[in-house]
Amino acid sequence: MADRYRSRLIDVSTGWVESVYDITAKCTAFLHEEAGKADGLLNVFVPHATAGVAVIETGAGSDDDLLAALQDLLPADDRWQHRHGSPGHGRDHVLPALVPPHATLPVVRGRLELGTWQSVVLVDTNRDNPRRKVRLTFLG
């Protein structure tokens, strides 16, 4: 049985353009406040049908490469059955099948265990929704 269960909903402003938004600092701040020196798991969950969570390198072009790959796989055109919203919005609803809306990450002694170049990111291709919620949950 876990000694600690802490959860918080945070707001993220992704803007009106497709984005890979780094939330690592928000995850780290949450753990600093809620995990103490405990070992456990951090679950990051986006309660939206058109966004996902990924662990990737940022700042060296990988975030732009991810958006380009998603454009290739899920073009914003009129092929999609789901047609409300801006043109090609149906592809935003397919995104979570490729970039899931969650990630569960190890926490050791209160610190997020990521590789040297890894970051936790919110992937948002939906230009119709500039504000997102992210649920951070520590179980330790």
Side-chain angles (χ1 to χ4, degrees), residues 12-140:
V12 178
S13 203
T14 57
W16 300 97
V17 297
E18 296 179 15
S19 64
V20 173
Y21 189 90
D22 191 340
I23 58 171
T24 308
K26 292 178 184 289
C27 294
T28 300
F30 168 74
L31 289 172
H32 179 73
E33 293 174 19
E34 302 294 350
K37 297 289 182 190
D39 293 346
L41 297 171
L42 174 67
N43 182 262
V44 182
F45 176 70
V46 182
H48 297 279
T50 59
V53 176
V55 177
I56 64 167
E57 177 182 9
T58 59
S62 297
D63 34 0
D64 291 332
D65 290 341
L66 175 57
L67 289 175
L70 290 172
Q71 279 287 347
D72 288 346
L73 291 170
L74 305 171
D77 58 22
D78 63 357
R79 73 182 70 201
W80 307 101
Q81 300 280 328
H82 188 106
R83 295 187 188 267
H84 77 84
S86 43
H89 174 66
R91 61 100 181 225
D92 299 326
H93 288 274
V94 176
L95 173 76
L98 300 175
V99 181
H102 58 87
T104 301
L105 307 163
V107 176
V108 177
R109 299 186 67 202
R111 297 184 64 179
L112 192 56
E113 281 287 296
L114 293 173
T116 302
W117 305 112
Q118 289 180 319
S119 295
V120 182
V121 300
L122 172 63
V123 180
D124 187 1
T125 59
N126 183 358
R127 296 167 297 175
D128 296 339
N129 189 353
R131 301 205 45 83
R132 298 300 186 151
K133 303 280 187 195
V134 178
R135 166 85 48 200
L136 303 177
T137 304
F138 174 71
L139 182 62

